[in-house]
Amino acid sequence: MISMIYLSSRFSQRNLPLFRLTLCRHFPTFSRRGPSRRRDPVAELYDIENMPVYEFDAMTKPGFDIFLAQQEVRNYLRKTKYELPQLSKFAEEFIPPSPTSILCFKNSYYIGESSPIQNKVVLTIELHSIKALLTQKQLHKFVLLCGPRFNGIEFKFSCDKFPHANQNKKYLSDLVDKLLEEAKKEDDKFEDIPMDTRHIEKRLKKKKLRGLKFPVEWYRPPAKDTKVKT
């Protein structure tokens, strides 16, 4: 009996690691303590359950918007009072363009924001300025080359194909130089081709229709007893 107990104890001590491994496989153990949850102090601070009761002692959202608008207005007023007077030292005297400066460029610029429209440049040239540079035959050829860009009063060109306004301005200036150079050539004066004025007549017709007034004889006479009785 003693030998059997000794053998069994010896067997169990020798095979104890294997027995423990087998036991762990068949009988998994669990931790008594549950999973730990870390508390987020920021989440607890803004938790709706922990928020105090609103007693109408703080600024609301519309009130805060009004405060921001007033702050922006005061910022501009401060700049008007203290910064604008300092710009007077950069003022330059206006010099009117000379008679030889016949090109008039126009473009739009938006302060504080970027827009694709501000890259567009519009060039206008008065008809009397072109007459001073060309003869009657050359002027006829120049008008034919411009086509619908001549509205009867001035020549109007526009360009927005380049990403910068100065590039569009240079392109229009070179285009006018090429048109003037082509109009001064004596090889073909286009004297047998009449000037197309359909776009001019269409524009004048729209302008005339826009200025029409309602005929007086079409007015309806006021009906009787239309006043509200009080």
Side-chain angles (χ1 to χ4, degrees):
M1 185 68 179
I2 296 173
S3 60
M4 292 180 62
I5 295 174
Y6 176 76
L7 288 174
S8 61
S9 61
R10 200 174 167 188
F11 175 80
S12 60
Q13 290 178 2
R14 186 175 56 184
N15 299 324
L16 185 60
L18 180 61
F19 177 75
R20 286 180 178 178
L21 181 60
T22 308
L23 184 63
C24 293
R25 288 179 179 176
H26 292 280
F27 303 98
T29 58
F30 299 94
S31 177
R32 294 181 180 179
R33 190 171 60 181
S36 61
R37 296 182 180 179
R38 295 183 179 179
R39 295 182 179 181
D40 190 0
V42 179
E44 292 183 357
L45 180 63
Y46 293 100
D47 192 0
I48 192 172
E49 297 180 356
N50 299 331
M51 291 182 65
V53 180
Y54 181 67
E55 299 179 356
F56 298 93
D57 56 347
M59 185 177 296
T60 59
K61 179 63 170 61
F64 192 73
D65 293 340
I66 295 174
F67 172 73
L68 292 179
Q70 293 177 354
Q71 186 180 14
E72 185 178 4
V73 172
R74 293 183 63 184
N75 185 22
Y76 284 115
L77 292 176
R78 195 180 297 108
K79 289 183 178 181
T80 304
K81 184 176 181 180
Y82 297 104
E83 296 184 12
L84 286 183
Q86 299 179 5
L87 299 178
S88 59
K89 57 184 178 181
F90 300 103
E92 298 180 358
E93 184 181 358
F94 174 73
I95 301 176
S98 60
T100 57
S101 301
I102 64 174
L103 305 181
C104 180
F105 295 96
K106 298 179 182 180
N107 66 317
S108 302
Y109 180 72
Y110 296 88
I111 300 177
E113 58 179 335
S114 59
S115 175
I117 305 177
Q118 65 185 9
N119 300 330
K120 182 179 180 180
V121 178
V122 179
L123 169 63
T124 55
I125 308 174
E126 299 291 337
L127 178 61
H128 62 84
S129 301
I130 297 295
K131 286 183 178 180
L133 300 176
L134 303 176
T135 61
Q136 190 64 26
K137 295 181 179 180
Q138 293 175 353
L139 178 63
H140 177 74
K141 184 177 180 180
F142 185 81
V143 171
L144 292 178
L145 293 175
C146 292
R149 296 172 182 83
F150 176 63
N151 58 8
I153 303 175
E154 61 182 8
F155 299 89
K156 188 174 182 180
F157 306 88
S158 63
C159 179
D160 58 350
K161 62 170 60 178
F162 299 104
H164 300 285
N166 292 333
Q167 294 175 333
N168 295 321
K169 182 178 179 180
K170 181 65 169 58
Y171 173 80
L172 293 177
S173 178
D174 296 341
L175 180 63
V176 174
D177 292 340
K178 292 179 181 179
L179 290 174
L180 291 174
E181 182 181 358
E182 189 67 27
K184 292 180 180 180
K185 291 183 179 180
E186 299 293 337
D187 53 353
D188 193 355
K189 300 181 180 179
F190 297 162
E191 295 179 353
D192 55 338
I193 301 177
M195 185 176 64
D196 189 6
T197 59
R198 289 176 295 178
H199 60 283
I200 301 176
E201 295 174 357
K202 185 178 181 180
R203 185 182 64 85
L204 294 176
K205 186 178 180 180
K206 287 184 178 180
K207 187 176 181 181
K208 185 177 179 181
L209 291 175
R210 197 179 299 117
L212 291 178
K213 296 182 179 180
F214 193 78
V216 181
E217 58 273 10
W218 288 7
Y219 281 107
R220 183 177 179 180
K224 297 181 180 180
D225 300 335
T226 56
K227 295 183 179 180
V228 179
K229 296 181 181 181
T230 57

